[in-house]
Amino acid sequence: QVQLVESGGDLVQPGGSLRLACAISGITMDDYAIGWLRQIPGKEREGVSVISSRHGSTYYADSVKGRFTIFRDKAKNTVYLEMSNLKPEDTAVYYCAVTSRGWGPWIQTVHAYDYWGQGTQVTVSS
């Protein structure tokens, strides 16, 4: 059974940094993608960043390019989202999710993801 457990959410001041972690277990497929998606209050869930399990390709939403970095520690089966220069509009519940479809144009689509973590709250406020 696939399990995703997020951690690292916190309250941080604007301009600050935070690292989220997603511990993954139970995956048996060879080609999949791991995404970080977020849900801002009053808005639909949106894709933030994705990484391929096979070739390490990455995707970033325009709103986070240059500020967020996604990377993976294969030995620990953990995917991280390093967030810097955080803005109040980054406040959201951040979810880790896996799509079994592998890498393709669908990675930006919330409905492409089969497995989800419970989410972790990130609040950017002074």
Side-chain angles (χ1 to χ4, degrees):
Q1 183 177 354
V2 176
Q3 287 191 321
L4 309 172
V5 179
E6 303 101 330
S7 61
D10 206 344
L11 169 64
V12 62
Q13 292 187 344
S17 299
L18 207 58
R19 177 182 288 185
L20 305 182
C22 175
I24 304 168
S25 61
I27 287 187
T28 58
M29 47 202 161
D30 295 327
D31 186 15
Y32 56 96
I34 309 107
W36 284 98
L37 302 95
R38 67 186 181 186
Q39 185 144 28
I40 298 169
K43 295 188 177 181
E44 293 186 354
R45 198 169 294 187
E46 62 178 4
V48 174
S49 184
V50 187
I51 188 167
S52 165
S53 71
R54 174 169 286 182
H55 41 71
S57 296
T58 57
Y59 157 83
Y60 297 95
D62 288 342
S63 58
V64 306
K65 278 181 183 176
R67 301 189 298 122
F68 290 12
T69 302
I70 189 171
F71 62 98
R72 185 182 182 195
D73 185 332
K74 288 187 176 182
K76 295 183 178 180
N77 282 337
T78 300
V79 172
Y80 300 92
L81 185 67
E82 186 78 41
M83 306 184 293
S84 62
N85 192 20
L86 283 161
K87 305 175 181 181
E89 51 264 41
D90 294 318
T91 295
V93 177
Y94 284 72
Y95 297 91
C96 175
V98 166
T99 173
S100 58
R101 300 185 189 184
W103 192 259
W106 50 82
I107 59 169
Q108 304 176 42
T109 307
V110 172
H111 297 294
Y113 290 85
D114 310 290
Y115 307 99
W116 292 82
Q118 81 286 354
T120 186
Q121 177 71 47
V122 172
T123 303
V124 184
S125 175
S126 55

